[in-house]
């Protein structure tokens, strides 16, 4: 059974070739083997082979399937209409209508405070847009159009291909006219007949209050421009949160570590802690506070996305033992040790207290 040559080998590019490299290789080979300029016996077959390879490798989804399964992955790019034509013949002229533009995906890094507060930010999006000079037509303004010499006005090219099911007719969009069935006598000087140009466009992105790391925002109509008057695709923005020095997020709650001295833990105190929205709140440290104990500030956490209310801010007490002592402090600590001795750990709550308190505060089990 005959086999189809590797598409990358046909175009003479490596498997890691970029879109521009694939396009450049195709244009060079298409000019070389086009039947209008090359009357060699195998020119038409080579032209169809080059065209087929370009159609697959220039489409990200088809290229991915080809890289995974090769040329024998079942029906692949054949539609039921193509199979019908194989057995019953016919020369259908399919009208090629507008084609929707590709969706775009990108990431944006947000500070925690911006994710909690929400708002707007401007991001730069590289994308294909309709050419201003030719309004997306691909032809120089005032230039006449003629029937495409490659597809004869059908907007599609056909090639026989061997698969595990036998020989099939592969019908694909004409690479010369892009499926329009006609070409302009003078291509647009700005976009060189592509109809689209790559630009960096500033997009205003609305950040909903409470968005979390890994969530995605969809901006309708801000993807790449369509072809032949088709609508633009959509833009999908994946949100990533930067680490914050003051707060850590745990779902709808915010965690803040408050450092206190052994004296403050023993005697109790009232201290100010920062809030994510700005300002501060007074926190009462109870006398006898333990390391890892949690004070909860209700309603001071993250807004609930799409719902009313907010989470809490959990203030975790961290008892900090001084690494060095003055003479006076050493005397006082020595006196304290003499009076109190070592703490007893006979009670089960004392042995496991710190871990239990943290676990219960964060909803663990």
């Amino acid at each position: 059974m005959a086999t189809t040559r590797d598409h990358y080998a046909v175009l003479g590019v490596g498997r890691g070739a970029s879109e521009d490299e694939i396009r450049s290789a195709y244009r060079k080979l298409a000019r070389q083997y086009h039947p209008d300029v090359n009357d060699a016996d195998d020119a038409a077959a080579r032209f169809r082979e080059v065209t087929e390879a370009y159609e697959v490798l220039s489409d990200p989804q088809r290229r991915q399937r080809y890289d995974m399964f090769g040329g024998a992955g079942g029906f692949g790019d054949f539609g039921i209409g193509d199979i019908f034509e194989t057995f019953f013949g016919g020369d259908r002229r399919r009208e090629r209508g507008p084609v929707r533009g590709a969706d775009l995906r990108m990431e944006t890094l947000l500070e925690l405070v911006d994710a909690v507060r929400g708002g707007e930010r401007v991001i730069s999006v590289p994308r294909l847009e309709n050419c201003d000079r030719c309004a997306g037509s691909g032809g120089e303004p005032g230039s006449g159009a003629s029937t495409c010499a490659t597809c004869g006005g059908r907007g599609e090219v056909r090639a026989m291909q061997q698969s595990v099911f036998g020989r099939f007719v592969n019908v694909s969009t004409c690479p010369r006219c892009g499926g329009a069935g006609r070409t302009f006598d003078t291509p647009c000087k700005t976009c060189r007949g592509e109809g689209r140009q790559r630009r960096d466009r500033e997009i205003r992105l609305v950040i909903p209050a409470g968005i979390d790391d890994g969530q995605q925002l969809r901006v309708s109509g801000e993807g790449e421009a369509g072809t032949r008057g088709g609508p633009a695709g959509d833009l999908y923005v994946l949100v990533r949160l930067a680490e914050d020095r003051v707060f850590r997020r745990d779902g709808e709650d915010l965690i803040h570590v408050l450092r206190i001295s052994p004296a403050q833990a023993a005697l109790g105190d009232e201290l100010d802690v920062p809030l994510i929205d700005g300002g501060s709140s007074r926190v009462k440290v109870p006398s006898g506070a333990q390391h890892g104990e949690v004070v909860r500030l209700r309603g001071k956490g993250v807004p609930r996305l799409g719902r009313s209310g907010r989470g809490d801010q959990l203030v975790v007490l961290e008892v900090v033992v001084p690494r060095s002592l003055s003479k006076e402090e050493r005397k006082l600590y020595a006196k304290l040790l003499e009076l109190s001795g070592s703490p007893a750990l006979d009670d089960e709550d004392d042995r496991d207290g710190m871990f239990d308190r943290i676990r219960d505060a964060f909803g663990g089990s």
Side-chain angles (χ1 to χ4, degrees):
M1 182 170 61
T3 58
T4 302
R5 289 180 61 198
D6 178 74
H7 290 331
Y8 291 98
V10 169
L11 295 182
V13 298
R15 289 190 171 270
S18 66
E19 293 181 9
D20 290 339
E21 290 171 335
I22 291 173
R23 185 183 302 110
S24 177
Y26 166 71
R27 287 178 174 174
K28 180 180 178 180
L29 293 171
R31 286 194 296 268
Q32 179 181 349
Y33 293 111
H34 196 284
D36 291 347
V37 297
N38 191 329
D39 57 0
D41 293 339
D42 64 342
R46 289 297 304 275
F47 179 77
R48 288 195 296 270
E49 187 179 41
V50 167
T51 299
E52 177 189 340
Y54 175 73
E55 279 295 312
V56 173
L57 299 185
S58 63
D59 185 307
Q61 293 182 346
R62 295 176 67 183
R63 181 179 181 180
Q64 183 181 27
R65 290 198 300 268
Y66 181 79
D67 289 342
M68 294 177 63
F69 305 111
F75 288 101
D77 298 311
F78 300 107
I80 189 67
D82 302 325
I83 299 174
F84 182 88
E85 284 191 21
T86 300
F87 293 103
F88 298 102
D91 185 23
R92 297 179 298 153
R93 293 176 60 93
R94 287 191 270 181
E95 293 295 328
R96 297 285 179 171
V99 178
R100 182 179 181 273
D103 293 335
L104 295 179
R105 287 171 174 79
M106 61 181 300
E107 292 185 6
T108 187
L109 184 66
L110 294 180
E111 298 295 332
L112 178 59
V113 63
D114 295 328
V116 171
R117 294 177 180 176
E120 293 184 351
R121 73 179 311 176
V122 176
I123 59 175
S124 180
V125 179
R127 67 183 186 183
L128 288 174
E129 297 185 350
N130 283 330
C131 174
D132 293 333
R133 182 176 181 85
C134 66
S137 68
E140 186 69 13
S143 172
S146 56
T147 301
C148 177
T150 300
C151 65
R154 291 191 301 270
E156 60 189 25
V157 291
R158 305 178 182 204
M160 295 295 295
Q161 182 170 342
Q162 193 75 32
S163 78
V164 293
F165 296 97
R167 295 178 66 85
F168 291 96
V169 176
N170 183 20
V171 182
S172 57
T173 302
C174 176
R176 184 172 184 178
C177 66
R182 60 193 181 99
T183 57
F184 287 91
D185 298 335
T186 304
C188 174
K189 296 177 180 179
T190 301
C191 66
R192 300 180 181 179
E194 294 289 336
R196 298 184 298 178
Q197 291 179 288
R198 187 164 295 279
R199 294 191 182 95
D200 289 337
R201 178 69 64 180
E202 289 190 344
I203 303 296
R204 189 171 299 277
L205 188 65
V206 178
I207 309 295
I211 195 168
D212 203 353
D213 183 81
Q215 292 182 322
Q216 190 170 247
L217 298 173
R218 174 176 172 266
V219 189
S220 179
E222 293 295 352
E224 293 193 335
T227 56
R228 299 193 297 279
D234 297 332
L235 171 65
Y236 293 88
V237 182
L238 180 66
V239 172
R240 293 299 185 191
L241 297 187
E243 290 189 6
D244 192 272
R245 296 181 59 189
V246 180
F247 300 96
R248 182 168 67 85
R249 181 168 178 170
D250 182 31
E252 295 173 348
D253 293 333
L254 291 172
I255 300 170
H256 173 73
V257 176
L258 178 62
R259 308 183 79 190
I260 59 176
S261 67
Q264 289 173 310
L267 302 175
D269 201 353
E270 289 191 9
L271 301 170
D272 289 329
V273 295
L275 301 176
I276 192 71
D277 289 330
S280 61
S281 180
R282 199 75 171 167
V283 169
K284 183 176 181 179
V285 178
S287 59
Q290 301 298 301
H291 181 77
E293 191 169 335
V294 176
V295 179
R296 185 181 295 268
L297 300 178
R298 298 197 177 276
K300 300 298 184 181
V302 180
R304 296 186 174 95
L305 191 63
R307 298 177 294 152
S308 60
R310 302 177 66 135
D312 300 332
Q313 179 168 318
L314 308 178
V315 181
V316 181
L317 303 179
E318 180 184 12
V319 180
V320 180
V321 178
R323 294 182 178 273
S324 60
L325 299 172
S326 66
K327 284 187 177 182
E328 184 66 23
E329 289 172 332
R330 184 171 294 277
K331 289 180 181 180
L332 292 173
Y333 272 106
K335 184 64 175 178
L336 180 62
L337 178 60
E338 180 184 341
L339 292 174
S340 60
S342 299
L345 295 177
D346 295 334
D347 188 271
E348 183 178 349
D349 290 338
D350 289 336
R351 289 198 302 269
D352 302 326
M354 181 180 72
F355 299 107
D356 290 342
R357 284 192 294 272
I358 294 178
R359 181 195 63 194
D360 294 340
F362 299 155
S365 57

